[in-house]
Amino acid sequence: MGSVMLGYVTDFFTYETTKSVVVKSWSVGIINRLVQLLIIIYFVGWVFIHEKAYQVTDTGIESSVMTKVKGFGYHNDRVMDVADYVYPPQGADIFCIMTKLIVTENQFQGKCAEFGERFSCTTDKDCHKHFGSVLTNADTPPLFLSYKPGVITGVCIQTSNDTLNGRCEIEGWCPAENDQVEIQPMLDVNNFTIFIKNSIRFPLFNVTRGNFPTTMTATEIKRCTYHPEKHPFCPIFRVGDVLNYTGQSVDTLASQGGEIGINIEWKCNLDLNIDYCVPKYSFTRLDAPFAKNAISKGYNFRSFAKYFKTENGTDFRTLHKAFAIRFDVMVTGNAGKFNTIPTLINLVAAFTSVGLGTVLCDIILLNFLKGAAQYKAKKFEEVSEAQIEASIAQSPGSQLSLKPCIKSSYDSGA
Amino acid sequence: MGSVMLGYVTDFFTYETTKSVVVKSWSVGIINRLVQLLIIIYFVGWVFIHEKAYQVTDTGIESSVMTKVKGFGYHNDRVMDVADYVYPPQGADIFCIMTKLIVTENQFQGKCAEFGERFSCTTDKDCHKHFGSVLTNADTPPLFLSYKPGVITGVCIQTSNDTLNGRCEIEGWCPAENDQVEIQPMLDVNNFTIFIKNSIRFPLFNVTRGNFPTTMTATEIKRCTYHPEKHPFCPIFRVGDVLNYTGQSVDTLASQGGEIGINIEWKCNLDLNIDYCVPKYSFTRLDAPFAKNAISKGYNFRSFAKYFKTENGTDFRTLHKAFAIRFDVMVTGNAGKFNTIPTLINLVAAFTSVGLGTVLCDIILLNFLKGAAQYKAKKFEEVSEAQIEASIAQSPGSQLSLKPCIKSSYDSGA
Amino acid sequence: MGSVMLGYVTDFFTYETTKSVVVKSWSVGIINRLVQLLIIIYFVGWVFIHEKAYQVTDTGIESSVMTKVKGFGYHNDRVMDVADYVYPPQGADIFCIMTKLIVTENQFQGKCAEFGERFSCTTDKDCHKHFGSVLTNADTPPLFLSYKPGVITGVCIQTSNDTLNGRCEIEGWCPAENDQVEIQPMLDVNNFTIFIKNSIRFPLFNVTRGNFPTTMTATEIKRCTYHPEKHPFCPIFRVGDVLNYTGQSVDTLASQGGEIGINIEWKCNLDLNIDYCVPKYSFTRLDAPFAKNAISKGYNFRSFAKYFKTENGTDFRTLHKAFAIRFDVMVTGNAGKFNTIPTLINLVAAFTSVGLGTVLCDIILLNFLKGAAQYKAKKFEEVSEAQIEASIAQSPGSQLSLKPCIKSSYDSGA
C-alpha cells in the first residue's frame, strides 16, 4: 500500500512542459521576432505607458466648491453690489449673476388688465380662448413659454387710453408685468471677479487636494487673475475673460442671460509626486446644444420676488424678472495609482498576446515555406483510432517503450 | 570569435513552436469543436455584442440642469404664481413646489405662551420638564421632530380663555405657530408644468448632448407634453403625470409633501450615430425607502420666513411652514466607444478561453476513451532523473543526434 | 469528389493537443507545484476574495439628501430659530448654519464715507488710488478680498469727529458696513441637531436603500443621536459631535466660519443580504487643504440682504455679513454584484498565470539542473533548413512514416 501511495506522490511531483519544435530557419525566425517585437512595443508603449493600464483609477471624486463674486455695477441708476446681483448668496457651486432686472413694483393681489397685444379684446368672448391651463387643446393652444401673470377671468376691460381695444382681465398680482421694456443690461459684469475654492478628495486613495498650491501666499492670490498660460493655478477669474474663453459676447449674454460652465478637471497620477496633481480649468457655454432650437435662448427666471407689508398689514411685492449669467462650477476627475490586479491582468494579456504571434508564424511555416509538408510532419504527430486499436490488439504497452504515466488529467491543461 | 557571435545570432532567430499530437478520433474531434463553438458563441454573443466589452465607457458625466415651472394655483384665497410657490427661484436641479403654507403672521421677538396640548401646565414646575435641548435625558425626553417655537422660560402663563390649564411660556418669535390648523392644499399643482433643459457632456469623448433634439422647433416644444411613448423627448412635464408615473396621489403629496425624483438616464453607444444618444426619463418617489418608518412622512420645511420692519424700525416676520413637493432632477449616464485596450484584453481572453477547451478534451481523451493509455503514451514523453543520469554516464550528447541548442531559456516560456 | 470532401471533414474533426515532456524529477516537480500553489493562493485570496474581481461594480450612484436642523440660539440678544440661521431653508444637501451676523441696518442708495483706516484721506487725490476695478495694476493694487461697499467717487469727506483725517467717499448702499466690530458668535450651535435623510439607488442593479433601517421606529429615531459605535445608523447628528469628529473647536468655527463635510459612504456587496448594505459616516473639514494659505480662512458671505420699503416707497435694506458653518452632505458609494464577464476574464487570467509558472521552471530545468543539456534535447526537437532540404531531395514524405496531415493552419494556434 505504501508503495502505491509513494507512486501517487511521485506522480504528483512531476513537472510537465510542452515539447517544442525548434525551427532553424532565418525567414520564419526573423518574422517571429518581429511580430513579438511589435506586440511588446504595443503593450509597453500604448497599454502600459500611454494608457497606464497598470493603475487602478478612482472616479468617485468627492468635491466641495466655494465661490465668491466681487465687483460693482450700475443698473437702473443704482449701484449694485454682490448682495444685489448674486443669487443664491451663500457661495455655492451654481450661482447666478443677474445682469438685467425687469422690476414690477407694488404688486397687490387683485384684478387688473393683462399686458400685451396677445390679450387685446373687444368683448368678453375674445378672452375666453385664453381660459384654462397650458394643456388645453384649444385651436390656438396657449404656448408654454408665454408668461401669463394671473388667471384669466374672462372679462374684457376697456382701458381708458385705448378705447378701441380692451385687455382681458386677470386675477392675481396686479399690475401685470410689462416685460417688453428696453433696459440696458449691467455690462460692468465684465470686470467682476469670481474666486473659486475647490477642495477634492479621492476616497479610494484618501488623497485631498485644493485648487491652488499651499505655497501661494494670500497676497499672491489676491493680486493674480487666472490666465491659461501665465497663471494657470490662480483661483480668481475675471468674468470678461471667462466669457471670452467660451467665445461669447458679453453684450448678448448680459441682456439675454446664459449658462456658462466652469469645469475643473483633475487627472492625477498618484504614482508621481502629489504636486503634479493639479486642476485644469476649461470653460464652455452649457446651453450650446440648444443653440439651434429657437426656444429658451438665454437664461432668465421670473420667480424672484421681494415681499413687503403696508402699514395696515396688506402684503405686496416687487417682482423681478431677472436675466442672469448662470455659472456652474463642475468638478470632474480621476486619479490613478499602481495596483497589482490590473497590472497582472494586463501582463498576462501581454504575455499571452506575445504567444499569439506563433499563430501567424505557424500559418507561414506550415503553408507558404519551402518544405512546409516536412515542417508539418515534424510539428504534428498523428495518432489515428486505427493505430491505437492495432496497438491494443498486440500486447498493450509493449510497443511503447515508455511506461504509461498515471497523471491527474487536470495537469495536462494547466 | 565572429563565428561564435554568428552562432548566437542564428540561435536567436529561430522559431519555436509546440509539438502537437493530432488525434484522428471522431468522438474527441466532435467534442473539441463543439466546446470551441460554445466558447466562441459565448464570447461573440454575450461578451462582445451584448455587454460591448470592446468599448471603453465614460461614467464621469458633466451635466447642467435648468428648470422652469409654470402654472397658477389658488391657496388661502390668493392666486399663487411661480414667484410665490417655487423655491429656490433660480431654476436649479432641485426645486420645491410649495403646496400648503401654514402662515404665522406678525411674529415679534418677545415672550408668549407656547402652543399645543403638550405644553399645558398649572404651575411653573410643570414647565421645567421641557427645559433644555433635544439631547436632555429626562424621563420623557423631548422628541426630536416636535417643533418648539422658542426657548422655554419655565414660567406657566394662565391664558384668559383657558382658566384651568395654562401654557408654558417661551422666549422667541411670538406669537407661537399653530401648525394644527386644517388648510386645503393647492391641488392645482396637478396642472403645473415643468420645463427641463439638460445638457450633458462626456469629457472622455468630448461629446455634448441636449435633452431635446435640435430639430424640434420652438412651437413644437411649447405645445407638447411628455409622454413615455407618444412624446418621449418632449422636455415639458405635467406635474400630475409625473406623480402618476410614480404611483402617488396628488392629494396626499400636496398636503404632506414629498420628494419626487426625475431621473434622466443617458446610455450612449457612440459607435452608432450620435442621434441615437437620447435621454430616457424615469420617475420615482425618493422617500420610498422610508415608507415603513412612521417618521418624517412627506416633506416640509419651517425655515422659511419673510422679514419686515415696522415704521419705528422693529423687525417682525411672517413664518411659513411649507409643505412642498420637492423635485430632484438627477442625471446619470455613461457612454461607450470602441477602444483597442478592452478589445484586445477581451480578445486575448477569448482566444485563451478557446484554448481552455482542450482541458476538457484531454480529460476525456486520456481517461475515458478506448485506448486512453496509448493516447497518454503518445502525448506524454517521460524523462526520469535515472534516464538522464544514465545518459550522462555514457558519452554526453552522443545518444541524442541533435546538437543541444543554446537558447535563452526565457524563450521557452514565451 | 465525395471522398475528398470526407477527407476535409475528417481532418476538421480531429483533436490537437500539445505533446508534453514529463520530467520525473523531485526538485523541479516540487518547485513547479510550489509556484503553482503561490499563484493560486494569490488569485483566490487577493484577486477573488479580497478585491472581489468576480463582481461588476456600479459607481454611478443616484442620491437624494434631505436635511433638517433643530435648535435655538441667542445672538445679539435675540432668540434665533431655524428660519433665522439656516440658509438655504429648503433642507438641501448643502446648507449653512449662520453663527455670527454683522448687521448693517437701514442702508439706502446714496453717497457716504467709506469705512476703514485704509480709506483715510486728507485731499481728494488720496482717494484716486482706490479708483478702478480689482484688476488695476496700480502701485498698491486693491486686494481682491478686501471688501469695498461701493464705488469710489474720488472725493475726500471730512468727517466731523475726525478732523485731521477724512474718509474717501463712495457711491452705493450707505452707510458703509463696519465689519471690524467684535461680536460674540452663537455658541449654542454646539447643541443643534441635524437630521439627515438620504436615499440612494444603484441604477445598474435597481437597488434602493435609505440611510436608516426600516425596522427603526419613529420614537427610536427621535431619541437617538449618532455615535460611531453605539448608534452608527442613527440619522440625527449633534453639531458639537460632528465638529469634534473633525477635530475642530466650535469657538473658532463659530466666529470665523468653516466648511464641514459629512460624507456618507455606501459600499455594498449585493451578493450578500441587502441588510448589510448600510451607510458609513465620516466627517472632514473641507477647507483643510487651504489651511496653510493665509487667505480665506473660514467661511463667510456678505451677499445676504433683507429688503424693505419706506412709506413713500424708497427701498432700503439690512445687510448681513454672515459667518457660517457650511455643511456639505456628500454621498459616495459603489455596489458590487457577481457577473460572468469579470469572473471569466479573471479566471482566464488566473489559469494563464498558473501556466506562467512553467517559465520559471523551464529556466531552472534547462539551465541549472544536472543534465540540463539532456532535458533540453528532450524538450526541443530541432529542425534546420538543411535537414528539410535534404529530405525534400530524397523522396518527399518517405522518410517520415506519418502521412503529412492537411490541417487548417489556424487550428495550430488556437
Side-chain angles (χ1 to χ4, degrees), chain A residues 109 173 307 317, chain B residues 79-86 98 101:
Chain A
Q109 282 275 329
W173 291 100
Y307 293 85
R317 69 174 195 185
Chain B
V79 174
M80 306 273 282
D81 72 357
V82 188
D84 296 321
Y85 63 70
V86 171
M98 293 182 263
L101 288 170

Side-chain angles (χ1 to χ4, degrees), chain C residues 166-376:
Chain C
R167 287 284 185 276
C168 294
E169 191 192 53
I170 51 143
E171 188 183 356
W173 291 99
C174 283
E177 183 194 75
N178 171 12
D179 63 354
Q180 301 301 313
V181 288
E182 276 289 318
I183 287 177
Q184 188 60 29
M186 179 174 65
L187 292 177
D188 311 276
V189 71
N190 234 356
N191 290 319
F192 291 179
T193 53
I194 303 165
F195 170 61
I196 299 176
K197 212 165 85 176
N198 171 224
S199 68
I200 57 145
R201 194 175 150 253
F202 295 109
L204 198 61
F205 309 120
N206 198 18
V207 166
T208 307
R209 296 290 290 161
N211 67 325
F212 48 87
T214 49
T215 53
M216 230 169 168
T217 64
T219 324
E220 275 178 338
I221 293 168
K222 282 171 184 168
R223 289 189 187 171
C224 72
T225 314
Y226 172 82
H227 186 278
E229 279 118 44
K230 287 185 216 157
H231 303 290
F233 304 127
C234 174
I236 294 174
F237 300 82
R238 206 177 142 263
V239 172
D241 291 345
V242 169
L243 300 188
N244 221 27
Y245 297 140
T246 61
Q248 303 294 320
S249 84
V250 70
D251 297 83
T252 323
L253 271 181
S255 62
Q256 292 190 354
E259 290 171 79
I260 300 292
I262 298 180
N263 194 278
I264 308 182
E265 199 180 18
W266 295 85
K267 276 207 176 148
C268 291
N269 182 348
L270 298 179
D271 293 330
L272 304 179
N273 190 313
I274 188 76
D275 287 338
Y276 292 109
C277 178
V278 288
K280 207 177 133 247
Y281 299 93
S282 59
F283 310 90
T284 45
R285 174 138 196 199
L286 290 172
D287 37 8
F290 307 107
K292 282 186 194 161
N293 304 66
I295 202 181
S296 74
K297 286 228 164 150
Y299 178 70
N300 64 71
F301 48 97
R302 200 178 275 90
S303 38
F304 186 65
K306 288 170 187 166
Y307 293 85
F308 305 101
K309 253 184 207 299
T310 62
E311 276 168 82
N312 52 34
T314 316
D315 292 306
F316 67 102
R317 71 174 193 184
T318 298
L319 181 69
H320 296 77
K321 176 173 181 173
F323 291 85
I325 306 176
R326 176 171 136 176
F327 292 89
D328 281 34
V329 181
M330 292 178 293
V331 183
T332 51
N334 56 60
K337 204 174 184 176
F338 172 81
N339 188 285
T340 42
I341 292 189
T343 309
L344 215 120
I345 287 173
N346 282 290
L347 268 182
V348 167
F351 272 116
T352 319
S353 296
V354 168
L356 291 182
T358 51
V359 175
L360 183 71
C361 294
D362 273 358
I363 294 172
I364 294 166
L365 183 74
L366 304 175
N367 292 284
F368 302 111
L369 223 65
K370 202 180 138 193
Q374 279 74 20
Y375 286 120
K376 250 179 210 160

Side-chain angles (χ1 to χ4, degrees), chain B residues 16 18-26 28-30 32-33 42-43 46-47 51 59 87-88 96 109 133-135 141 143-151 171-173 259 263 265 286-287 289-290 292-296 298-305 307-309 311 315 317 319 326 328 330 332 346 349 351-356 358 361-362 365 378-385 388-389 391-392 396-397 400 402-405 409 412-413, chain C residues 9-27 59-66 68 70 72 74 78-79 81-84 87-92 105-106 191 193-195 197-199 201 203 208-214 216 218-219 221-223 225 236 238 306-308 311 316 318 340-341 344-345 348 351-352 359 362-363 366-367 370-371 373-382 387 405 407 410-411 414:
Chain B
E16 184 184 314
T18 56
K19 193 171 172 96
S20 299
V21 178
V22 177
V23 180
K24 292 228 162 184
S25 159
W26 280 93
V28 187
I30 288 168
N32 180 34
R33 294 299 175 196
Y42 169 81
F43 267 96
W46 182 256
V47 179
E51 295 281 317
T59 53
Y87 191 86
C96 306
Q109 282 274 328
S133 83
V134 288
L135 296 168
L143 298 182
F144 171 76
L145 291 170
S146 62
Y147 174 73
K148 289 184 303 173
V151 179
E171 189 183 354
W173 291 100
E259 291 171 79
N263 194 277
E265 198 180 18
L286 291 172
D287 37 8
F290 307 106
K292 282 185 194 163
N293 305 66
I295 202 182
S296 75
Y299 179 71
N300 63 72
F301 49 95
R302 200 178 274 91
S303 39
F304 185 65
Y307 293 85
F308 306 102
K309 254 184 206 299
E311 276 168 82
D315 291 307
R317 71 176 194 183
L319 181 69
R326 176 171 136 178
D328 281 33
M330 291 178 293
T332 51
N346 282 291
F351 271 116
T352 318
S353 296
V354 169
L356 291 181
T358 52
C361 293
D362 272 358
L365 182 74
K378 274 284 177 194
K379 182 174 165 65
F380 299 108
E381 203 167 282
E382 201 165 303
V383 196
S384 68
E385 278 178 328
I388 295 295
E389 271 159 30
S391 85
I392 293 171
L400 304 147
L402 295 173
K403 195 176 71 193
C405 60
S409 49
S412 54
Chain C
V9 172
T10 315
D11 283 339
F12 181 74
F13 285 108
T14 53
Y15 171 61
E16 182 185 316
T17 182
T18 55
K19 193 171 171 96
S20 297
V21 178
V22 176
V23 179
K24 292 227 161 184
S25 159
W26 281 93
S27 43
T59 53
I61 192 177
E62 266 172 61
S63 161
S64 159
V65 171
M66 202 279 283
K68 208 165 197 170
K70 292 262 155 136
F72 289 96
Y74 282 90
R78 274 189 176 196
V79 174
D81 72 357
V82 188
D84 296 321
Y87 192 87
Q90 80 271 24
E105 304 232 33
N106 302 327
N191 290 319
T193 53
I194 303 165
F195 170 61
K197 212 165 85 176
N198 171 224
S199 68
R201 194 175 150 253
T208 307
R209 296 290 290 161
N211 67 325
F212 48 87
T214 49
M216 230 169 168
T219 324
I221 293 168
K222 282 171 184 168
R223 289 189 187 171
T225 314
I236 294 174
R238 206 177 142 263
K306 288 170 187 166
Y307 293 85
F308 305 101
E311 276 168 82
F316 67 102
T318 298
T340 42
I341 292 189
L344 215 120
I345 287 173
V348 167
F351 272 116
T352 319
V359 175
D362 273 358
I363 294 172
L366 304 175
N367 292 284
K370 202 180 138 193
Q374 279 74 20
Y375 286 120
K376 250 179 210 160
K378 275 282 176 193
K379 183 174 163 67
F380 298 109
E381 207 167 276
E382 201 165 303
Q387 284 176 299
C405 61
K407 294 195 69 278
Y410 180 83
D411 288 335

Side-chain angles (χ1 to χ4, degrees), chain B residues 47 61 99 107 148 155 198 211 297 366 407 414:
Chain B
V47 179
I61 192 176
T99 50
Q107 285 191 323
K148 289 184 303 173
V155 175
N198 171 224
N211 67 325
K297 285 226 164 148
L366 304 175
K407 294 193 72 277

